[in-house]
């Protein structure tokens, strides 16, 4: 029994060492074995045997030498980014978008699939078929599909592993999405997050705020919600519904909201609110037309965006007081309103919050465009990459 325990511990130590080494290569790539040893504090033998295993498995490659040191220059090691693919899936009401990247998140291709069926089982069957095809297409890669990050409209209960709530896809509520997908595609790791959480992850990994520690992502389609990223992790709350700030009250006796309350932030600062201000609907006026009119200086649209920005500012004052973020990133359709929205937000914040609490805050619109949330799906996969590589490398 004792011998068994020792083997278990050795395996654990080996995995922990491998994780350090892989994370160091990912962070400092390309890098020499000696440098990996000095950063991780592991001895050179341990580093070399791990790197040799990764080389043998095709996960890393040797790139030649640094040419900077005297004597025999060290060989640099890098991740073989083509050893596998990451997939991000953004599920919307009428379509879902797939983003396929290499292991380092570089886009290989994206695809949009129109959907006219709101049944979640239909989605499971369709996406399983697409992933099976992708798996065949990429079977020459050592790791194949390393994971799929799925972004849902609504919230996912991290305790019950079922969709908790979706305002626009009521059919999905209580659907055990992860277990149903796992039944169809048991050998591909799957991760699920709501759109505002994925937006925050996408921004931290791919956007202007790479490596920032504290970020709040604000997104609005018809409603409004936020994703909070803090020191490397998403703030999920107990069940995974943290960030429903669109339903925080900003007017005690304000407009009636679909949640049953009154005066919710999203009634004044969402895309729906913008359409209300313009006394129009998406059927009468597309969002692209609104953005074009704004850039052309149309006075009605400019005034509506200014008012929307004022109400955004009121809600964001609450966000700043609650979370003390370094960055607030405006994502989704709101991001297309650009600097005019941001200026109005700042006007309101400067009136509401003392300067000392604002001086370290940066607010901007995301540059990631319509693939922003799908990038978040890829981020979920890349966040687990070292574990996936270890699992594969230790297979006989
Ligand atoms: Zn509400």
């Amino acid at each position: 029994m004792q011998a068994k325990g020792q083997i278990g511990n050795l395996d654990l130590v080996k995995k922990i060492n491998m994780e350090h080494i892989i994370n160091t290569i990912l962070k400092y790539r390309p890098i020499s074995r000696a440098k990996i040893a000095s950063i991780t504090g592991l001895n050179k033998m341990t580093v070399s045997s791990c790197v040799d295993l990764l080389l043998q498995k095709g996960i890393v490659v040797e790139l030649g030498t640094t040419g900077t040191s005297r004597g025999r220059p060290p060989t640099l090691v890098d991740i073989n980014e083509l050893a596998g693919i990451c997939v991000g899936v953004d599920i919307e009401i009428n379509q879902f978008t797939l983003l396929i990247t290499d292991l380092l998140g570089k886009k290989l291709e994206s695809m949009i699939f129109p959907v006219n069926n709101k049944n979640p089982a239909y989605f499971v069957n369709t996406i399983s078929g697409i992933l099976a095809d992708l798996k065949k297409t990429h079977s020459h890669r050592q790791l194949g599909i390393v994971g799929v990050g799925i972004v849902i409209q609504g919230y996912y209960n991290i305790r019950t592993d079922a969709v908790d709530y979706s305002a626009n896809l009521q059919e999905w509520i209580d659907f055990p999405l992860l277990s149903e997908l796992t039944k169809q595609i048991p050998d591909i790791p799957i991760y699920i997050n709501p759109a505002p959480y994925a937006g925050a992850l996408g921004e931290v990994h791919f956007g202007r705020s790479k490596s920032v520690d504290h970020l709040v992502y604000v997104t609005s389609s018809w409603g409004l919600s936020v994703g909070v990223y803090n020191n490397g992790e998403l703030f999920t709350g107990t069940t995974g519904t943290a960030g429903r700030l669109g339903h925080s009250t900003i007017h005690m006796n304000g407009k009636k909201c679909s949640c049953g309350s009154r005066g919710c932030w999203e009634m004044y600062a969402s895309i729906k609110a913008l359409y209300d201000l313009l006394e129009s609907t998406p059927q009468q006026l597309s969002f692209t037309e609104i953005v074009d009119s704004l850039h052309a200086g149309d006075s009605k649209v400019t005034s509506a965006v200014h008012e929307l920005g004022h109400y955004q500012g009121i809600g964001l004052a609450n966000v700043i007081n609650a979370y003390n973020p370094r960055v607030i990133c405006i994502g989704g359709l709101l991001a297309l309103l650009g600097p005019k929205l941001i200026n109005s937000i700042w006007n309101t914040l400067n009136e509401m919050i003392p300067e000392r609490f604002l001086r370290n805050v940066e607010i901007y619109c995301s540059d990631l465009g319509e693939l922003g949330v799908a990038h978040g799906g890829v981020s979920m996969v890349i966040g687990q990459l070292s574990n996936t590589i270890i699992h594969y490398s230790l297979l006989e």
Side-chain angles (χ1 to χ4, degrees), residues 339-377:
K340 288 186 177 160
L341 179 73
I342 301 292
N343 287 342
S344 300
I345 289 172
W346 273 116
N347 288 341
T348 298
L349 286 174
N350 286 326
E351 285 170 12
M352 291 182 70
I353 296 188
E355 194 275 335
R356 67 168 56 248
F357 298 109
L358 292 175
R359 67 175 70 134
N360 294 314
V361 183
E362 185 186 353
I363 305 177
Y364 65 80
C365 291
S366 173
D367 307 317
L368 292 176
E370 57 190 7
L371 287 176
V373 167
H375 271 101

Side-chain angles (χ1 to χ4, degrees), residues 15 20 56 91-92 108 127 129 159 181 196 220 234 246 259 261-262 267 279 305 309 324 336 382 388:
K15 281 182 183 171
H20 280 316
Q56 184 201 328
I91 306 169
E92 292 175 279
L108 298 176
I127 195 74
R159 291 187 179 250
L181 279 168
S220 171
L234 289 168
C259 74
S261 183
R262 282 190 176 278
M267 297 306 291
E279 297 168 313
V305 169
N324 181 213
L336 302 177
I382 290 180
T388 312

Side-chain angles (χ1 to χ4, degrees), residues 7-72:
I7 290 166
N9 287 340
L10 283 174
D11 279 348
L12 183 62
V13 170
K14 190 172 178 181
K15 281 182 183 171
I16 291 169
N17 290 346
M18 278 189 89
E19 190 176 359
H20 280 316
I21 292 166
I22 294 164
N23 285 335
T24 305
I25 297 172
L26 283 169
K27 190 169 179 186
Y28 299 100
R29 50 177 287 275
I31 183 170
S32 67
R33 287 171 170 80
K35 189 87 182 165
I36 297 172
S38 94
I39 289 172
T40 57
L42 296 168
N43 71 49
K44 287 181 186 171
M45 287 276 289
T46 304
V47 170
S48 262
S49 78
C50 175
V51 170
D52 287 345
L53 175 64
L54 294 171
L55 273 170
Q56 184 201 328
K57 294 277 182 179
I59 312 287
V60 300
V61 286
E62 286 185 320
L63 287 187
T65 60
T66 61
T68 54
S69 55
R70 293 174 186 205
R72 195 163 65 95

Side-chain angles (χ1 to χ4, degrees), residues 237-301:
T238 308
T239 59
T241 61
R244 294 181 68 245
L245 285 183
H247 298 287
S248 58
T249 307
I250 63 165
H251 265 310
M252 271 304 286
N253 298 309
K255 296 180 192 174
K256 186 94 176 141
C257 177
S258 60
C259 74
S261 183
R262 282 190 176 278
C264 294
W265 185 24
E266 72 174 36
M267 297 306 291
Y268 301 88
S270 60
I271 299 296
K272 178 186 184 303
L274 182 60
Y275 274 101
D276 288 349
L277 287 166
L278 292 169
E279 297 168 313
S280 190
T281 65
Q283 288 73 33
Q284 295 164 335
L285 181 67
S286 74
F287 198 75
T288 311
E289 287 171 312
I290 295 177
V291 173
D292 289 345
S293 302
L294 178 68
H295 294 327
D298 179 285
S299 60
K300 189 176 180 189
V301 172

Side-chain angles (χ1 to χ4, degrees), residues 119-121 124 156 161-163 171-178 180:
N119 185 341
V124 168
Y156 198 73
D161 261 334
V163 177
E171 297 83 349
W172 288 57
I173 296 175
D174 294 331
F175 184 74
L177 183 59
L178 182 62
E180 290 300 318

